[in-house]
Amino acid sequence: MAETKAKTAAKDPKLANAREASIEPSTQEMIERAQKLGIDTVFDRAVTMKPCAIGLQGICCKNCAMGPCRLPLPKGGIDGEDTRKGLCGATANTICARNFARMVAAGTSAHSDHGRGVAETFLSVARKETEDYKIKDPAKLIQIAPYFGVDTTVEVDGETLDRDIDEIALGVAEAAMAEFGKYDGTLAYLKRAPKPLQEKWKKEGVEPRAIDREVVEIMHRTAMGVDQDFVNLTKQATRCSLADGWGGAMIGTDLQDVMFGSPSPLQAEANLGVMKEDHVNVIVHGHEPLLSEMIVAACQSQENLDYAKSKGAKGIQLAGICCTANEVLQRHGVPPAGTFLQQELAIITGACDAMVVDVQCIFQNLANVAKCFHTKLITTHPIAKMEQENVVHIEFDEHHAMEDANKIVRLAIDNFTERGADVMIPRHKTTQIAGFGVESIRYHLGGSFRGDYYTLNDNIINGRIRGIAGVVGCNNARTKHNEEHITLIKELIKNDVIVLTTGCSAIAAGIHGLLTPGAAAVHCGPGLAEVCETVGIPPVLHLGSCVDNTRILLAATEVVKAGGLGDDICDLPAAGSAPEWMSEKAIAIGQYFVSSGVYTVFGYHMPLEGAPEFKDYLYREMENVYGGKWDCEPDPIKHAHKMIAHIDKKRKELGIDKARERVLMDMADRQALAME
Ligand code: SF4
Ligand code: MSK
């Protein structure tokens, strides 16, 4: 380990207080260890670097070289006419809406470029250009083919026969690739949404045409001197976000399921304590599972296991961080070592022999932390390199994916012998059930005979389940690590709201023990507890990674289809949340949820305070158009109750509020009733 200057938080006010930075014990231990070793982490940097007050309000424009133009709200707010303007005359609404739209474009780009990468690999599979990937879920391929206009049957001599699966694959792969740049029509997957929602999108003129086009159009319209009407800008933000949720991200999820298998519930562990001192520890981090799928296989290969033993290790422990973790968790049970904010801490254990990163949510500071230990930090994607010299770049190519994965795992094994004596792996780890999806919810809550969402709907209608919440998204170093996620989720399930979770929120829920059927008896209200205990599911269902938020859209659509809860997603007693969001991707996700009819509450803050009119448009007016709207609430209990109040409002509109009142009767009420 490099020579370092020991510091402690008690002596240095520039360091984070571990107890105030996180609610999670292994994170606290590792923050303190890093401080003792003189290694700064994101938690310390959040103490010394304060956010820009004007940027926080969303009203700084640097879209041309006459700026940056900054339009802070006057002290005491605006009295009378708002005369703030940039050099070109751009108003606070225009600047704030442009910034918001650019976040949507960035988020859409990230998910959709991921989706494109998956589609390109799938095209290689369909063209038989790679041996390393196969079609593991042909049923899913057959299910999605019609949306792309690909026939799944052929007529031969008047007889209808199943079409060759390789032909279907090629048709789907080519059609999926075309979604990114086709020059006419609208996106194929829009047809999966409930009909009334499709009609709303059509009426508003926000049906996305091609994924790349919507991103490009945002960049054009937000450039200096183009679109200067915040309502019109928001319309394009909607169109672009729909190109993410019902386009690029959905293609990513589906084709990953086709190639790697659709997830089904499985058991795994979670947290930094999954790392093993006597094993080679390999951590995969980022978002795309193309390489990590191969790394899972490489870590299981007898040849590599024997090689690890020859170096004195007892085996190879693979674990994940961020959404790559969720991808390999949901399909293989590979344990997540932590959320977004724990990435540096995995290296600070001193036991990480290799951290393999792909794209998105990767701290550049990992390279500085790795320098203090023996850890090999390996970048693998041509679009995501790091400037630091200690970073190794091994470029991944789907045409020789297994070869690349073996090379990386061998490098980690060789590095095991370089490990220093100062290793400290926190003991904390939990057990979880992950790997739910649209299909497994149907199976678990529908049963093998009914095989549909009726049982879920019945339980919502009879009030045992009050409603559905999607709780997703990141950690943010400006909030206490995991506190908002866990407090919010516990409050929701205590009030009989079933939670669907993805991304780092899902990892946090796993780490804090909420992803087990046993959590129902401890944390849930009586109605939800009864349902979970009867069907044997956790009250919080892990639905995968950030691109897999599309599973939540499709699950909501299935609930609409099953009947009894309205005709559209906006009719459902449901709400969305990202309590510790930080990424532009979260804004894209939020916008597609709102534009699909979901009341969506973000925690921490939204960069909208400097433009009250634009904020009001997102927080109120959007509901009149799409049935969903934005909100923000940093307090997790109030946040949960805003969602619950919305759920109750929807129950009332559906006329099922009385059923719930009956379910909530306690024993005294029941006895009183019996005596009537
Ligand atoms: Fe300023 Fe207008 Fe240029 Fe933005 S586009 S930096 S508001 S002059
Ligand atoms: S990884 S986008 S920090 S959820 Fe998807 Fe976590 Fe947010 Fe990255």
Side-chain angles (χ1 to χ4, degrees), residues 61-69 71 86-90 95 98 224-225:
C61 179
K62 54 182 178 56
N63 294 6
C64 88
M66 296 195 288
C69 295
L71 275 56
L87 256 65
C88 65
I95 290 174
R98 287 199 299 220
M224 198 274 172

Side-chain angles (χ1 to χ4, degrees), residues 4 20 22 201 255 350 505 535 578:
T4 52
E20 285 168 14
S22 174
W201 293 336
L255 295 183
S505 186
V535 294

Side-chain angles (χ1 to χ4, degrees), residues 259-302:
M259 282 192 287
F260 310 139
S262 297
S264 58
L266 42 68
Q267 185 174 317
E269 294 182 319
N271 211 351
L272 289 167
V274 303
M275 295 172 73
K276 292 185 180 148
E277 193 159 350
D278 52 10
H279 281 53
V280 175
N281 288 298
V282 181
I283 303 247
V284 285
H285 170 24
H287 280 77
E288 292 188 0
L290 295 171
L291 171 63
S292 52
E293 275 288 318
M294 296 296 117
I295 289 187
V296 173
C299 287
Q300 290 166 347
S301 94
Q302 197 54 50

